[in-house]
Amino acid sequence: MGYLLSLFLYCFVLLASFFGCRGDATQQPLVRGPGNDTFISQKLFWELEELARIVDIAYCVGTAGLGIQKPFSCASRCGDRDFGTFELVTAWNTGPFLSDSCGYIALSHSPTNPRLILAFRGTYSIANTIADLSTIPQQYVPYPGDDDDKTADFVVPIVHVSDDDPPPADPPKCENCTVHTGFYSSWLNTRKVVLPHVTEALKKYPAYKLVLVGHSLGGAVAALAGLDFKARGWDPYVTTFGEPRLGNNEFNMYIDERFNITASHEYNKFHRVTHAGDPVPLLPLSEWGFSMHSEEIFISKHNLPPSIVDIRYCHGDEDPNCIAGSDKHKGAWGVPTRFKFWQLFFAHRDYFWRLGLCLPGGDPSDWYDKYPKHTTTGHDDGIPEVDEL
């Protein structure tokens, strides 16, 4: 049954790809433009651009014969020019199933911006991902502990923590919260792998900023990891690119509250970056009980590379002038953005760079020519052609 579903979805993507190119050509911009106060700062622009490269490198993990090697090298942009202060802690790959997770942990020993970074990769299989997006939600339990004997080990893996682990911070309950089962299982499977490394690194480098970044399903896992880390008393900064909807309204309100999201965008520690035409932030469907959380940053330009005037803050959970308004402006074929699965190959991958190409030069080759004054000095930080989401 799963094979037939994947085959059907694959055929649908191919057909949609054939018919969709004409619809994209006539796609109209959003009706009302943003005010000047919604544009991001130059500092945040460079920070997001760098984080996109950092998460891009995660696609080197788990590829045949490739990977990330110590101290910090890979087949993509991992050289001294960009990441000379980086040190690989570990990389992980939990397996090839729907709840799999890949990524790496690295230390940036920059004297001006020291960081402990967790980068979460998206999945490789479009068909499997779309099938996974249809899964039913389940109850969300903040910080599932080792003594949770009411849930199967598959859903809540037992994590054997050491005496050096910080005690749980007893987070508030998430009343009536539901979360996507696949995303939740992916984090719980990842949690037991990464927690010992993060705990040890923070103990050794307590002044380092804890940074989580993820693309696509990796963005969903990064968000759940951020909630878990907050429950431990840590102070994570989370940035996601193309993050899908995680859970219901109550769950997303819980995210906003736990990260203390306010209208003062520059002080918020969670950024959810979306891109015009990307169908993934509109999935799973709202008809299935899923919604978005706030602090969205929207890239309105379809092609690479974006400039600072193409990126703006959004207001509330589903700003109609950002990704939530995409379905109201359909192309010539009248297909809502959330059903444009052919855009998984394009709009979903184009976040400052074309993500998912673990090869030298996989990124736009003229970036540094267009922005010669940009350097990564003081704040350091990618990529096989794959069917990733």
Side-chain angles (χ1 to χ4, degrees), residues 87-294:
E87 174 191 351
L88 178 67
V89 176
T90 191
W92 76 86
N93 185 346
T94 62
F97 303 105
L98 292 182
S99 59
D100 70 337
S101 173
C102 281
Y104 68 91
I105 304 174
L107 290 161
S108 172
H109 298 294
S110 165
T112 58
N113 189 22
R115 289 167 292 175
L116 171 61
I117 299 170
L118 281 76
F120 298 84
R121 195 199 77 185
T123 184
Y124 275 112
S125 172
I126 284 181
N128 283 351
T129 297
I130 296 173
D132 193 29
L133 287 174
S134 67
T135 192
I136 60 174
Q138 71 169 71
Q139 179 186 5
Y140 176 72
V141 180
Y143 187 67
D146 298 340
D147 58 349
D148 187 350
D149 56 1
K150 298 180 181 179
T151 313
D153 188 49
F154 171 76
V155 178
V156 182
I158 300 300
V159 181
H160 299 287
V161 295
S162 68
D163 294 337
D164 295 330
D165 282 334
D170 192 21
K173 291 184 178 180
C174 192
E175 299 290 347
N176 301 317
C177 293
T178 59
V179 65
H180 183 285
T181 300
F183 305 159
Y184 194 39
S185 297
S186 184
W187 162 239
L188 294 174
N189 289 330
T190 305
R191 179 174 175 265
K192 58 185 177 181
V193 177
V194 303
L195 278 181
H197 296 284
V198 176
T199 301
E200 181 180 355
L202 288 177
K203 182 180 179 181
K204 188 174 182 180
Y205 302 100
Y208 278 36
K209 180 179 177 181
L210 179 57
V211 175
L212 282 63
V213 59
H215 173 240
S216 190
L217 297 188
V221 179
L224 294 169
L227 287 175
D228 194 321
F229 288 1
K230 271 198 165 294
R232 292 175 163 268
W234 297 338
D235 187 25
Y237 291 72
V238 182
T239 301
T240 66
F241 298 93
E243 174 195 321
R245 289 168 168 161
L246 299 177
N248 62 359
N249 286 327
E250 289 80 3
F251 176 74
N252 289 302
M253 289 174 59
Y254 185 79
I255 292 179
D256 296 343
E257 292 170 359
R258 292 294 287 153
F259 280 90
N260 193 29
I261 301 299
T262 70
S264 300
H265 299 290
E266 63 271 23
Y267 298 109
N268 291 330
K269 297 181 180 181
F270 198 127
H271 293 130
R272 179 173 63 89
V273 186
T274 63
H275 179 218
D278 185 355
V280 173
L282 300 170
L283 296 171
L285 303 180
S286 58
E287 292 87 342
W288 299 342
F290 290 87
S291 62
M292 305 177 192
H293 61 86
S294 64

Side-chain angles (χ1 to χ4, degrees), residues 22-24 26-27 330-335:
R22 292 178 56 185
D24 289 344
T26 60
Q27 186 168 8
K330 306 178 180 68
W333 291 91
V335 181

